[in-house]
C-alpha cells in the first residue's frame, strides 16, 4: 500500500477526531457516539466508491481506507494499555480505596452476572455451543463509562457516585477481558460446554499473576525514575514504556492477564509516583498521558467503527433475533446489579445511597464501544475458531454495540431530562439567585471604581450604570423572593463552599510547594471527605469527616502493633512523621479560611450562618492544634526540625518568586536567571528531605519530661523507656472498660481522658496517670475510662509498676494524692501484697 496514501488517511482521521468534539457538543451527543458514527460513515462511503461505477477517481483513497492494517493486536497491544494506564493515573486512588467494596463487587460480580446471563440466554435461543455463547457474554460485558460519567459531572452529581462508576468500569474492563481469554481458550480447544466452576476456577490465577507482574514492573519503573531525578523527559519516557512491558510480560511470560497487569502497574505508579517524583515532573507526566489517551481513545473508536460494515456483511434475518436476545439479557443483568445488588450494599453500609433516578441513568448509560469491537475482531481473526462461530460472534457483538451507541447514546440526554436530573434542586436554584445578586453588587462596585480611574464619558457611564442597575434590581428581587431557604440548608451549603475553598487553597499551596507533594493527596482526600460529609449529612457529616482527619487510623494502629510485637519501628516512624506533616499542613490551610467566611459566605448566607461556620472552623483549629501539641510534647526535637524545614521551603518559594519578578522586569537576563533557578532547585532538593524520626530516642526524651519520674536516675529512666508500651487512642474510644482486670497503669503523654466510676466523673490530662488505684487495691475496675481527645498513653504492667513505685518518691506522692482525692486510705494501698 502506498505510504503516502496511508499517511494521508491517518492525518485525515486526526482531522475527523478534532472536528468530532465540537460536533458532539453542538449535537448534544456523547463524544464516542459521534466518533463511531463518523467511522461507520467513512467506511460505508469508502465501500460505496470502491464498488460504484460512477467514478474511479476515489478508488485509491477508498482502498487505502478499507485496507488499513487494523487487527485486534493493534487494539489490544497498542491502544488498550494506553487507555487503561491513563485511567488509573487519573484516579484518586486513596478516595477509591474508601469505596473498594462497592467498586470491586460491582465490577467483578457485574461482569460474571452479565457473562452468565447473556451466555445461557443465547445458548437457549441458538444452536451455538455454550462456550461460544459465554464468549459473547464476556465480550459484551465491557462498558464505556465516558458518556454517563461526563453527563453526571455536568449535572454536579455526587462525586463519590461518579468515582464508583469510574472505578467499576475500569475493573469491569479488566475482568471482562480476563474472562474473554478463558472462554476464547475453550472455544479454540473445542470444549463445547465447559462447567462454570471449570471456567471461573482459572479466573483467580489470571488475576493474581497479572497483579504480580504489574506490581513488579511498576516498582522497577519507579526505581528507574528515581535514577533520573533531574531529567524529567527521561522519567516520562520510562512511564511510557511501563504499561506495554507490563502487558507483554504478563501475557507472554507469566501467562496471566495483561489487562490486570496494566491496571496494577498504573495504580502502583499512582500511589508511589507523587512522593518519588518532583511535582512538576508528575504534572507533566499526567499531561502527556492525558494527550496520549485522548488520541488512543479516539483512534480506537474510529478505527473500530471502520470495521463495522465488514463485520455485518454476512448478517442474516435470524441474527437480528439473537441480537435482541443479547440486548435483553445484558440489560436485565445490569438492572439486577443496579436494582438488587446496589441497594443491598447500601443496606450493608458498603456503598452510598444511589437514588433510583441515578440508577436508571446508569442502566441506560451502559454504552459499549471499541473494546467490545476489538474483542469481536480477535475472534474473527482466529483460525482455530469455527467459521460459523466467528460469523455469529462478530455480528452479535457489532449489533449490540451499535444498539448501545445509536439507541442508548442518542437518547441518553433525553432520558436524563425525563428523570429530572438536568435541573437544579429548589435549594440550589434559590442559592444561585442569591449568589448572582451578591456577585452583581460586587461587580457594580468594581465597575464604578474602574470608570472613575479611566475618566470615561459621563453620559456613557450613566446609561450603562442604569442598564446594569436594572439587572441588579431584578436579581435582588428574585433573590428576596427565594430567601426562604432553611438555616439548616444554608449551613450545609456554606460548609460545602468552605470545604471547596479549602480544596482550592490546598492546590494553590501545592503549586507554591508550601505543602509537599507527599502530603498533597492526603490533605486533598480530607477536603473531599469534608465535601461529601457535608453533602450527605450537613453539619454532623462535616464534623465527622473533620474528626476522622485528625484521628489515628487503622494503618497507624497496625504500625503500633508491628512495633510492639515484632520490634519493627520503621512503619510507625514513617506514619508518625506523616502525621506531623499532615497536621502542620492542615493548620496552615485552616488559618486562611476565616477570611473566606467573612468575605464570601457572610454576604450570601448572612451573619448567623457565618458565625456558626466560624464556630465549626474554630473547633477544627482546636482539634488540629491539640493533636499537633500532643506530637510536639511527645517528639519535641522532631517537631522543631519539621518546622525549620517548613520555613526553609517557604523561603525558597519566596526567593523563586522574587527571581521571576526581577526577570519579568527585565533586570536580569536569561543566563543569570537560569543560574539562579538552578541554585534554588539544588537547595530545594535538600530542603525536601524529611528528617528521620527515631522513636526510641524520642520516647526516652518524653519519659524524662514526666514530673512523676523526676527523681529517677538516667539508668532507671532508660530501662523505664524500654519497658513502657505506647498506645494511641482516638477521641471517644474506650480505653478501660468496666469490670476489666486491674493489671496495667496508664500514663498520659498527650491528650485527655475521662474516668467515670460510681457516678463520679474525673478528667485527667498530660503528665497524669490512671489505673494505679485499681492495681494497688487488687480489685477489678468498677469504672470506665474513655478518651476525650486523640491521646498517646504509655502503659506499664503491674509488676514493673510496683517496682517503679518502690523506687520513686514522686510517684508515691502522686498515688497518695489521687487516693485521697477518691476518698481512699493511702496506707491501705501501700501494704505488702504478700502479707494481706
Amino acid at each position: 500500500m502506498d505510504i503516502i496514501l496511508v499517511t494521508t488517511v491517518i492525518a485525515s482521521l486526526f482531522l475527523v477526531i478534532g472536528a468530532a468534539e465540537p460536533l458532539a457538543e453542538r449535537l448534544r451527543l456523547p463524544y464516542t457516539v459521534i466518533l463511531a458514527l463518523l467511522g461507520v460513515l467513512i467506511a460505508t462511503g469508502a465501500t460505496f466508491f470502491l464498488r460504484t461505477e460512477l467514478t474511479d477517481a476515489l478508488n485509491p483513497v477508498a482502498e487505502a481506507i478499507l485496507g488499513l492494517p487494523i487487527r485486534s493486536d493493534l487494539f489490544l497491544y497498542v491502544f488498550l494499555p494506553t487507555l487503561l494506564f491513563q485511567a488509573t493515573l487519573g484516579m484518586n486512588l486513596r478516595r477509591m480505596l474508601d469505596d473498594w467494596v462497592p467498586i470491586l463487587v460491582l465490577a467483578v460480580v457485574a461482569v460474571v452476572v452479565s457473562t452468565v446471563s447473556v451466555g445461557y440466554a443465547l445458548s437457549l435461543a441458538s444452536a451455538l455451543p455454550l462456550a461460544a455463547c459465554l464468549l459473547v457474554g464476556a465480550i459484551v460485558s465491557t462498558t464505556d463509562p465516558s458518556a454517563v460519567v461526563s453527563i453526571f459531572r455536568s449535572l454536579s452529581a455526587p462525586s463519590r457516585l461518579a468515582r464508583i462508576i469510574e472505578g467499576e468500569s475500569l475493573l469491569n474492563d479488566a475482568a471482562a477481558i480476563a474472562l474473554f481469554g478463558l472462554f476464547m481458550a475453550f472455544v479454540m480447544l473445542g470444549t463445547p460446554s465447559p462447567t462454570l466452576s471449570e471456567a471461573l476456577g482459572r479466573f483467580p490465577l489470571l488475576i493474581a499473576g497479572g497483579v504480580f507482574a504489574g506490581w513488579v514492573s511498576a516498582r522497577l519503573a519507579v526505581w528507574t525514575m528515581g535514577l533520573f531525578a533531574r531529567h524529567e523527559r527521561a522519567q516520562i519516557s520510562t512511564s511510557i514504556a511501563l504499561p506495554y512491558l507490563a502487558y507483554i510480560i504478563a501475557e507472554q511470560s507469566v501467562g496471566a492477564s495483561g489487562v490486570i497487569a496494566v491496571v496494577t502497574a498504573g495504580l502502583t505508579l499512582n500511589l508511589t509516583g507523587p512522593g518519588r517524583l518532583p511535582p512538576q515532573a508528575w504534572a507533566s507526566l499526567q499531561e502527556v498521558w492525558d494527550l496520549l489517551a485522548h488520541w488512543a481513545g479516539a483512534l480506537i473508536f474510529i478505527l473500530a467503527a471502520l470495521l463495522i460494515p465488514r463485520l455485518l456483511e454476512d448478517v442474516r434475518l435470524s441474527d437480528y433475533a439473537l441480537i435482541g436476545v443479547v440486548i435483553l439479557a445484558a440489560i436485565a443483568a445490569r438492572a439486577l446489579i443496579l436494582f438488587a445488588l446496589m441497594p443491598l450494599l447500601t443496606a450493608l453500609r458498603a456503598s452510598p445511597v444511589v437514588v433510583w433516578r441515578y440508577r436508571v441513568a446508569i442502566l441506560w448509560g451502559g454504552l459499549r464501544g471499541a473494546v467490545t469491537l476489538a474483542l469481536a475482531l480477535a475472534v474473527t481473526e482466529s483460525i482455530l475458531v469455527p467459521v460459523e462461530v466467528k460469523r455469529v460472534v462478530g455480528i452479535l457483538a457489532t449489533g449490540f454495540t451499535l444498539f448501545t451507541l445509536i439507541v442508548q447514546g442518542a437518547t441518553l440526554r433525553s432520558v436524563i431530562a425525563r428523570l429530572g436530573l438536568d435541573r437544579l434542586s429548589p435549594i440550589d436554584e434559590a442559592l444561585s439567585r442569591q449568589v448572582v445578586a451578591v456577585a452583581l453588587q460586587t461587580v457594580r462596585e468594581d465597575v464604578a471604581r474602574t470608570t472613575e480611574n479611566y475618566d470615561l464619558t459621563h453620559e456613557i457611564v450613566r446609561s450603562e450604570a442604569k442598564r446594569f442597575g436594572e439587572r441588579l434590581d431584578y436579581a435582588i428581587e428574585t433573590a428576596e423572593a427565594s430567601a426562604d431557604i432553611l438555616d439548616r440548608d444554608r449551613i450545609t451549603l456554606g460548609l460545602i463552599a468552605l470545604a471547596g475553598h479549602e480544596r482550592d487553597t490546598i492546590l494553590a499551596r501545592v503549586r507554591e510547594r508550601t505543602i509537599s507533594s507527599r502530603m498533597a493527596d492526603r490533605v486533598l482526600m480530607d477536603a473531599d471527605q469534608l465535601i461529601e460529609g457535608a453533602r450527605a449529612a450537613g453539619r454532623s457529616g462535616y464534623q465527622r469527616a473533620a474528626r476522622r482527619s485528625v484521628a489515628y487510623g487503622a494503618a497507624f494502629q497496625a504500625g503500633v502493633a508491628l512495633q510492639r510485637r515484632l520490634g519493627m519501628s520503621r512503619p510507625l516512624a514513617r506514619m508518625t512523621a506523616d502525621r506531623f506533616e499532615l497536621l502542620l499542613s492542615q493548620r496552615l490551610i485552616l488559618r486562611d479560611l476565616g477570611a473566606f467566611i467573612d468575605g464570601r459566605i457572610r454576604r450570601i448566607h448572612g451573619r448567623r450562618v457565618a458565625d456558626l461556620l466560624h464556630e465549626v472552623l474554630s473547633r477544627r483549629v482546636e482539634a488540629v492544634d491539640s493533636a499537633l501539641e500532643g506530637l510536639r510534647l511527645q517528639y519535641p526535637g522532631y517537631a522543631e526540625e519539621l518546622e525549620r524545614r517548613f520555613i526553609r521551603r517557604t523561603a525558597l518559594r519566596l526567593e523563586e518568586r522574587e527571581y521571576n519578578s526581577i526577570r519579568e522586569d527585565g533586570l536580569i537576563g536569561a543566563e543569570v536567571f537560569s543560574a539562579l533557578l538552578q541554585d534554588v532547585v539544588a537547595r530545594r532538593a535538600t530542603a525536601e528531605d524529611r528528617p528521620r524520626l527515631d522513636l526510641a530516642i524520642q520516647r526516652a526524651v518524653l519519659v524524662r519530661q514526666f514530673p512523676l519520674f523526676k527523681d529517677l536516675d538516667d539508668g532507671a529512666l532508660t530501662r523505664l523507656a524500654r519497658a513502657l508500651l505506647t498506645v494511641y487512642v482516638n477521641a471517644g474510644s474506650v480505653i478501660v472498660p468496666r469490670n476489666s482486670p486491674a493489671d496495667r497503669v496508664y500514663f498520659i503523654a498527650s491528650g485527655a481522658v475521662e474516668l467515670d466510676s460510681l457516678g463520679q466523673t474525673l478528667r485527667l490530662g498530660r503528665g497524669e496517670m490512671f489505673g494505679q488505684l485499681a492495681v494497688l487495691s487488687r480489685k477489678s475496675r468498677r469504672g470506665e475510662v474513655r478518651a476525650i481527645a486523640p491521646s498517646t498513653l504509655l502503659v506499664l504492667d503491674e509488676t514493673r509498676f510496683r517496682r517503679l513505685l518502690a523506687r520513686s518518691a514522686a510517684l508515691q506522692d502522686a498515688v497518695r494524692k489521687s487516693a485521697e482525692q477518691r476518698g481512699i486510705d493511702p496506707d491501705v494501698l501501700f501494704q505488702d501484697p504478700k502479707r494481706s
Side-chain angles (χ1 to χ4, degrees), residues 489-617:
D489 295 327
R490 288 185 180 277
I491 292 169
T492 298
L493 293 170
L495 289 171
I496 293 171
L498 184 65
H501 180 70
E502 180 175 345
R503 195 180 196 283
D504 294 339
T505 306
I506 291 168
L507 291 172
R509 294 289 183 269
V510 172
R511 286 192 294 269
E512 295 174 352
R513 300 189 180 184
T514 307
I515 296 177
S516 68
S517 56
R518 183 186 185 91
M519 284 293 102
D521 285 349
R522 178 64 191 275
V523 290
L524 284 173
M525 181 180 72
D526 289 339
D528 289 339
Q529 288 179 332
L530 290 170
I531 295 172
E532 292 176 6
R535 282 187 179 277
R539 179 167 42 167
S540 61
Y542 180 93
Q543 290 173 329
R544 279 197 300 270
R547 287 194 294 269
R548 283 198 301 269
S549 69
V550 298
Y552 294 104
F556 200 94
Q557 303 293 352
V560 174
L562 285 174
Q563 189 217 23
R564 184 186 304 170
R565 298 177 184 177
L566 303 177
M568 297 173 58
S569 61
R570 177 173 291 184
L572 180 59
R574 179 177 56 80
M575 286 185 284
T576 303
D578 285 346
R579 180 173 173 81
F580 250 122
E581 193 169 355
L582 174 68
L583 291 171
L584 283 172
S585 301
Q586 286 184 336
R587 190 183 65 173
L588 172 69
I589 297 300
L590 292 177
R591 299 295 185 188
D592 296 336
L593 296 183
F596 176 76
I597 295 176
D598 292 330
R600 291 288 184 180
I601 293 179
R602 185 183 298 272
R603 301 189 68 178
I604 296 174
H605 295 291
R607 177 178 297 177
R608 182 177 176 182
V609 173
D611 291 343
L612 194 144
L613 262 59
H614 271 299
E615 180 183 345
V616 172
L617 182 62

Side-chain angles (χ1 to χ4, degrees), residues 305-321:
L306 291 176
L307 300 172
I308 289 177
R310 187 194 312 174
L311 291 172
L312 294 178
E313 278 183 341
D314 299 327
V315 65
R316 302 169 187 168
L317 188 61
S318 59
D319 295 330
Y320 290 105

